[in-house]
Amino acid sequence: MRTPRPNRYRDRWAGELRKDDVGSTPRVAGWVHRRRDHGGLIFIDLRDRTGLLQLVFRPEEAPEAHKAAGRLRAEDVVSASGKIVEREEGTVNPALPTGEVELAVDSFELLADAETPPFQIDEDEPVGEELRLRYRYLDLRKEGMRDTLILRHDVVRTIREHLSDEGFLEVETPILTRSTPEGARDYLVPSRLQRGSWYALPQSPQLFKQLLMMAGAERYFQIARCFRDEDFRADRQPEFTQLDMELAFVEEDDVIDTVDRLLQRVLALRGIELRLPLERVAYDELMLRYGSDRPDRRLGVEIEDLTDVFRGSDFKVFAGAIESGGVVRGLRAPGELPRSRFDQLTEHARSLGAKGLVWAVAESGSSWRSPVAKFLSDEEMAGAAETLGASTGDALLIVADQPGVAAKVLGDLRLAVADGKPEGDDVFWVTDFPMFEWDEEEGRWDPLHHPFTSPTGDLDGDPGAWRSRAYDVVWNGWELGGGSIRINRPEVQEKVFQALGIGEEEARERFGFLLEALRYGAPPHGGIAFGIDRWVALMAGRSSIRDAIAFPKTASGVDPLTGAPAPANERQLRELGVKVEPGGTSGPGG
Ligand code: ASP
């Protein structure tokens, strides 16, 4: 960091003083991190953003400063000057970058005093989330939080530098806008000047970035705030930040290559070396092997298809499932599991929609210990054990069901039985997505990405068979980002709207501006967006995205620091023409 301009508070950063500075007489400023009194000497660890520096107050050399230092309390704000001296042998602290020196204080000033903080800043005791967020400015004083903020800055700065070098323009798009469907509810803002009309906060800049391609921007990016009003799921935030990108005249390979190099550069900030090109895996293959389109492949355990092994089996559960278009799939859980664990896993499988779970323990040769062993032939048991790679003592879990159910259930069981902490990093692309999935409840097709994704396949045929030109990036089991090549022809866009049950009139009403823009010469284009909060949290080794956001909200969407959301006053509501129905808050599901 550039040395601060000397003023009455400081002329050096506390955390940057080293052995080379011995003999110099700096002035430093910051917070009292910790105070220790030792046989007449007083030691203070002074903290600024750059780190800690030990100040020492000697009664005989600076009696006044020593006396005043005796009254200092944690988190008081002080400025101190004196001489940098080498620490005595045996008192060097190798854990601290400034640990070889200390500042022998001759004068200091108390700039502001601090009440006793509700939790200690100098310790990593677990503190409740509510309290941390209520006093976020204190929480952010902690070393780990400070480091995460700095990392976030470095990530964003590297992104900006890299993309600028590659010719991308950073363009801001509106926050007060119209709905962009990304599958969540909109946050609405009433318009005072157009009574009865509402702005929506963007769920993403999707439509604007596409319009920018039609405007000739060629390469766009934005560190964009997005808003999605979802029922609060663990570790979701109502507002979050995306790295949003779009490129014109591109195909999948162009976007993927651009992103590969960007990821390589950003992850290198944490010493993570990516070998390019990143692997690409088809959606169907992931669903088959991991039961998820964003698996943590480092867990090892994989799902295998056993349909061919059990086709025509005497065991009716397997044969029946296969006859009715289903599959038999299973996985090998390493090591022995007690009987009670199998019962738990069976319960778990049922709760996920499976009709049941077949479990077995592989014994030597081709035999299994299992409630269903008596229905299975030796060849079947040997064949399945071989496909699953089972050794004696291994537990086998098998599901016979429709492919979707089998994938979901085994995907979950896979996580439940995997043991050990995965190591290293696994970053890869998922490609070849289906365009839609069927929403049972609503009785309609839902896009796996969004309705502006370019479909492939027979667009006059069954939408269930359409594929899309979408791609996601997965990192250690998290979806880091996703995007697609877009539709650039109005007639294709209309077909997708039709498949989604969006009628002509509704399409014109909601997306008329896009359909119109598509008629004025829209280049082929595509892009992607990444969740920056998650990205930084992963790089920082933090388990919650809240740790990567300076001022996040709780799981119920509340900011305990400012008290947002809060009721509006009568006058504001009157001006907006908005009436509030009494009835309190609406719970999950609205
Ligand atoms: N707008 C999409 C999203 O927010 C990303 C994209 O397709 O570029 O998920």
Side-chain angles (χ1 to χ4, degrees):
M1 223 194 309
R2 188 194 170 131
T3 311
R5 181 178 173 278
N7 63 13
R8 58 176 286 213
Y9 305 118
R10 66 175 154 208
D11 53 27
R12 292 295 303 270
W13 298 112
E16 291 188 348
L17 290 156
R18 300 285 183 276
K19 220 168 160 181
D20 281 354
D21 297 299
V22 166
S24 69
T25 54
R27 176 178 292 280
V28 291
W31 287 261
V32 172
H33 190 64
R34 201 178 286 140
R35 194 191 92 197
R36 293 180 309 278
D37 298 7
H38 268 313
L41 297 184
I42 294 175
F43 293 98
I44 285 192
D45 286 339
L46 182 87
R47 185 188 70 240
D48 68 15
R49 205 189 84 198
T50 62
L52 298 176
L53 175 69
Q54 177 161 289
L55 313 185
V56 53
F57 296 79
R58 299 181 199 279
E60 64 288 356
E61 280 158 32
E64 254 176 64
H66 179 269
K67 200 160 145 220
R71 290 193 293 269
L72 285 177
R73 289 154 36 103
E75 300 309 309
D76 282 347
V77 180
V78 300
S79 159
S81 65
K83 194 174 189 172
I84 291 292
V85 296
E86 235 176 287
R87 289 205 201 180
E88 274 169 37
E89 239 187 78
T91 66
V92 168
N93 180 355
L96 216 58
T98 60
E100 287 182 303
V101 297
E102 59 194 9
L103 182 74
V105 177
D106 50 40
S107 81
F108 97 99
E109 191 184 351
L110 175 66
L111 301 174
D113 45 25
E115 287 184 17
T116 307
F119 47 83
Q120 266 176 276
I121 311 298
D122 65 340
E123 266 174 34
D124 246 349
E125 287 286 292
V127 180
E129 181 87 38
E130 199 54 46
L131 198 62
R132 284 180 63 194
L133 295 186
R134 163 88 177 73
Y135 295 96
R136 188 59 155 183
Y137 48 92
L138 298 179
D139 191 44
L140 290 173
R141 287 184 193 172
K142 291 191 169 188
E143 196 185 353
M145 294 302 289
R146 176 206 62 187
D147 288 348
T148 308
L149 274 190
I150 295 175
L151 175 67
R152 183 174 178 127
H153 165 82
D154 289 340
V155 166
V156 170
R157 177 165 102 175
T158 306
I159 290 171
R160 284 206 160 102
E161 274 171 15
H162 183 84
L163 292 179
S164 304
D165 290 349
E166 300 232 340
F168 283 76
L169 287 187
E170 183 164 9
V171 182
E172 288 174 81
T173 55
I175 295 291
L176 295 176
T177 181
R178 279 199 82 153
S179 177
T180 299
E182 295 278 3
R185 274 194 207 88
D186 290 321
Y187 279 99
L188 295 176
V189 179
S191 157
R192 182 177 58 85
L193 298 175
Q194 319 282 329
R195 267 219 178 178
S197 287
W198 303 73
Y199 300 100
L201 303 184
Q203 292 189 34
S204 82
Q206 184 62 35
L207 296 178
F208 285 105
K209 68 174 170 176
Q210 292 192 235
L211 293 173
L212 282 169
M213 294 304 104
M214 299 170 206
E218 300 280 3
R219 259 137 229 248
Y220 142 95
F221 83 99
Q222 182 179 193
I223 306 295
R225 199 65 67 83
C226 303
F227 306 84
R228 296 184 192 177
D229 187 4
E230 292 178 288
D231 294 332
F232 285 94
R233 278 186 262 155
D235 224 23
R236 288 282 180 133
Q237 286 283 306
E239 59 179 301
F240 59 96
T241 305
Q242 280 188 345
L243 160 60
D244 195 43
M245 298 166 58
E246 197 75 9
L247 302 80
F249 300 102
V250 290
E251 300 190 292
E252 289 85 334
D253 285 348
D254 303 299
V255 179
I256 288 178
D257 173 65
T258 304
V259 169
D260 271 2
R261 285 177 297 107
L262 173 70
L263 290 175
Q264 188 181 50
R265 179 143 166 212
V266 175
L267 296 203
L269 290 171
R270 267 294 200 240
I272 301 168
E273 280 177 42
L274 293 188
R275 281 206 287 151
L276 304 188
L278 293 176
E279 190 187 347
R280 299 182 201 181
V281 191
Y283 172 90
D284 286 347
E285 190 184 335
L286 289 175
M287 293 308 284
L288 181 71
R289 284 165 62 189
Y290 306 99
S292 160
D293 59 357
R294 50 181 160 76
D296 189 337
R297 301 190 301 176
R298 300 169 307 163
L299 295 175
V301 178
E302 283 186 25
I303 300 165
E304 301 289 346
D305 194 81
L306 305 171
T307 310
D308 284 341
V309 176
F310 292 112
R311 201 180 297 282
S313 171
D314 288 342
F315 183 38
K316 288 289 160 286
V317 172
F318 287 173
I322 296 169
E323 267 160 38
S324 52
V327 293
V328 181
R329 290 184 197 157
L331 55 81
R332 178 186 69 94
E336 285 172 28
L337 297 183
R339 172 69 206 244
S340 58
R341 184 78 178 122
F342 288 120
D343 293 339
Q344 271 172 10
L345 291 171
T346 306
E347 245 342 280
H348 187 59
R350 286 217 177 93
S351 73
L352 293 169
K355 288 187 215 55
L357 176 70
V358 167
W359 62 263
V361 176
E363 288 178 339
S364 57
S366 57
S367 71
W368 289 1
R369 181 159 57 77
S370 166
V372 308
K374 55 180 175 290
F375 305 115
L376 302 173
S377 70
D378 285 357
E379 292 80 67
E380 284 171 339
M381 287 188 281
E386 195 191 323
T387 308
L388 294 172
S391 330
T392 305
D394 280 346
L396 310 178
L397 304 175
I398 301 175
V399 172
D401 223 308
Q402 290 305 306
V405 178
K408 181 165 172 233
V409 173
L410 285 164
D412 237 74
L413 294 179
R414 172 177 177 267
L415 299 180
V417 301
D419 55 3
K421 212 171 161 335
E423 279 183 17
D425 286 279
D426 183 36
V427 188
F428 64 94
W429 289 96
V430 188
T431 57
D432 301 311
F433 284 88
M435 180 73 187
F436 301 115
E437 62 192 349
W438 184 250
D439 182 334
E440 272 303 335
E441 245 167 64
E442 304 280 332
R444 60 171 160 78
W445 293 110
D446 259 347
L448 250 76
H449 284 82
H450 50 60
F452 315 106
T453 301
S454 205
T456 57
D458 175 10
L459 301 191
D460 294 318
D462 170 21
W466 298 5
R467 309 300 285 187
S468 81
R469 298 181 68 187
Y471 33 74
D472 285 358
V473 189
V474 176
W475 179 5
N476 296 349
W478 295 100
E479 182 196 320
L480 195 61
S484 57
I485 300 300
R486 324 297 184 186
I487 297 167
N488 75 317
R489 302 231 311 275
E491 66 279 10
V492 177
Q493 189 62 71
E494 274 158 15
K495 276 216 154 90
V496 171
F497 286 151
Q498 265 165 29
L500 290 171
I502 301 176
E504 236 172 85
E505 202 171 315
E506 188 188 347
R508 211 173 320 115
E509 191 341 77
R510 288 172 63 192
F511 308 114
F513 63 98
L514 176 76
L515 292 170
E516 185 174 67
L518 286 174
R519 289 201 300 269
Y520 282 96
H525 60 288
I528 190 163
F530 295 88
I532 290 277
D533 310 303
R534 166 89 53 218
W535 188 346
V536 173
L538 283 168
M539 282 182 70
R542 294 269 177 172
S543 54
S544 164
I545 63 167
R546 294 192 288 281
D547 285 346
I549 300 174
F551 297 102
K553 297 182 177 55
T554 63
S556 44
V558 169
D559 175 8
L561 173 59
T562 61
N569 70 39
E570 271 306 314
R571 175 149 160 250
Q572 284 173 314
L573 291 176
R574 222 178 311 116
E575 279 177 350
L576 294 168
V578 171
K579 268 216 181 72
V580 177
E581 295 252 340
T585 52
S586 71

